[in-house]
Amino acid sequence: MAFQKYAATAFASAIALAAAFAAPVAEAKDWRGWNIHVEDYPVSHGMEAFMAEVTEKTGGEIKGKVFHQGVLGSQPDAIEQVRLGIIDFAEFSLGPWGPVAPEANVVSLPFIFKSIDQMHRAMDGAPGEALSAGLEKKGVIALGYYDAGARSFYNSRGPINAPADMEGMKVRVMNNDLFVDMIAALGGNATPMAFAEVYQSIKTNVVDGAENNPPSYESTAHYEVAPFYSISEHLIIPEVLVIAKKTWDGLTPEQQEIVKVAGKNSTMLQRELWADREAKSMEVVKAAGVEVNMIEDKAPFQEAMAPVYEGYLAANPDMKGIVELFQNFE
């Protein structure tokens, strides 16, 4: 009887111990994804497709949920959480990664990319691999580089075709010294301010214009107060779909391959959806009477950026190799 009681107790303890060890494994396979955008957005659809494919291809071994609109924390918080493996996967603009991984700052240099298509090729090739290596050192694995469009100038004064057209123009920029220096190099006056203040600031002539991608220009109705949109594509800053290295290291080789393929498929889908969204935004603003012009000769704008690059490399000499890698990529 004593032996039976001991055996029952031992068995119960073994079950409890097994459950204790099993719990973290089950939790690790129930992924959480961070996303700052609303649910109906190209990035969001790309992330949902990624998670759905991983779940399907692993036969349900890995399941998860994408939490949209930053409900799991602010962008800086989310970067730290994914580095620690608290969040399993996420999608970020590369801009906020600059203070963490210096390589990420390179894509914020004006005219570092020649076009959207060239950006795609670069991020899928050797330049993207170099940037990914920098991110991996900081605890994340890059699965694909999403499209966030190209930023161009818009204003209330008139079309921009040459740097001379920007002489004295007051332009709102993001709060980044690189962008302040960029406008100064073109002869304008940069005014860093919150994005939410731009509409009223243009309307009241606090600034003459700003710069952004077509969906942002259209969705905020900035075209109502700044009806001249000049396609310069001076900034093309991609975004990145990442998985926590801690989560990645817990996968089998077969699961890692599934996740890699799903990341690539998700990237291709998001880029298609983004292109559609941009085209629709341009249709809206043109229908509203906006004068849209393509800057045919970008060389004078690019040449004006020489002091911006010199200042950046003087402050970051160890980035010279990766900057040249991006600049020389065709």
Side-chain angles (χ1 to χ4, degrees):
M1 181 67 71
F3 174 78
Q4 289 177 333
K5 184 176 180 181
Y6 169 80
T9 302
F11 180 76
S13 298
I15 292 295
L17 188 61
F21 279 104
V25 175
E27 186 180 351
K29 302 299 184 185
D30 191 12
W31 287 1
R32 299 192 308 156
W34 182 92
N35 174 31
I36 200 171
H37 300 288
V38 296
E39 198 164 344
D40 185 17
Y41 196 74
V43 165
S44 309
H45 295 308
M47 293 185 73
E48 292 285 2
F50 164 75
M51 191 67 254
E53 182 173 342
V54 169
T55 299
E56 179 189 352
K57 295 293 174 62
T58 61
E61 291 176 354
I62 300 173
K63 294 180 286 187
K65 179 180 179 181
V66 182
F67 292 85
H68 304 290
Q69 294 185 271
V71 299
L72 295 182
S74 67
Q75 191 151 243
D77 287 343
I79 286 174
E80 291 309 307
Q81 288 188 67
V82 77
R83 290 179 66 196
L84 294 170
I86 298 169
I87 291 175
D88 297 285
F89 68 104
E91 198 275 350
F92 298 104
S93 168
L94 283 168
W97 273 91
V100 180
E103 294 85 353
N105 263 338
V106 173
V107 296
S108 289
L109 285 165
F111 296 105
I112 193 73
F113 296 111
K114 300 174 181 67
S115 66
I116 292 289
D117 288 342
Q118 190 260 350
M119 179 274 286
H120 290 162
R121 294 194 302 275
M123 300 312 295
D124 294 342
E129 290 172 4
L131 202 158
S132 297
L135 293 176
E136 185 169 356
K137 292 175 188 173
K138 301 302 179 179
V140 298
I141 304 294
L143 298 174
Y145 290 96
Y146 280 13
D147 196 340
R151 300 174 76 96
S152 292
F153 295 113
Y154 53 90
N155 76 96
S156 59
R157 295 196 335 190
I160 296 169
N161 286 291
D165 296 324
M166 296 186 66
E167 190 69 35
M169 184 178 288
K170 295 173 290 186
V171 183
R172 178 268 174 184
V173 295
M174 295 178 285
N175 190 17
N176 184 315
D177 288 344
L178 275 177
F179 308 145
V180 172
D181 293 344
M182 172 186 72
I183 299 300
L186 294 171
N189 299 314
T191 305
M193 69 169 61
F195 189 54
E197 299 173 12
V198 175
Y199 184 99
Q200 191 64 21
S201 295
I202 298 176
K203 186 176 182 180
T204 57
N205 298 316
V206 172
V207 295
D208 298 306
E211 48 82 54
N212 219 313
N213 58 50
S216 295
Y217 174 59
E218 173 263 318
S219 63
T220 54
H222 287 181
Y223 63 90
E224 295 176 352
V225 291
F228 299 96
Y229 192 83
S230 302
I231 301 176
S232 55
E233 298 184 331
H234 54 274
L235 288 175
I236 302 176
I237 306 176
E239 302 193 355
V240 62
L241 176 67
V242 299
I243 180 173
K245 191 172 187 305
K246 184 175 179 181
T247 300
W248 174 263
D249 290 343
L251 301 176
T252 66
E254 292 79 10
Q255 290 171 335
Q256 288 180 345
E257 183 61 25
I258 288 170
V259 169
K260 273 174 37 178
V261 172
K264 182 177 180 179
N265 292 339
S266 166
T267 300
M268 296 302 107
L269 171 64
Q270 189 275 342
R271 290 177 182 176
E272 290 177 11
L273 294 175
W274 181 265
D276 290 343
R277 175 69 184 267
E278 277 203 334
K280 289 175 183 174
S281 292
M282 291 303 290
E283 289 174 6
V284 170
V285 300
K286 286 178 180 178
V290 168
E291 184 174 334
V292 178
N293 71 286
M294 174 69 73
I295 298 177
E296 299 295 343
D297 185 8
K298 296 180 184 178
F301 292 85
Q302 294 164 335
E303 290 163 4
M305 294 301 107
V308 178
Y309 277 71
E310 288 167 7
Y312 173 78
L313 289 173
N316 303 275
D318 53 336
M319 290 293 108
K320 187 172 187 284
I322 190 170
V323 168
E324 291 176 348
L325 181 62
F326 273 85
Q327 286 181 310
N328 297 330
F329 189 86
E330 296 297 330

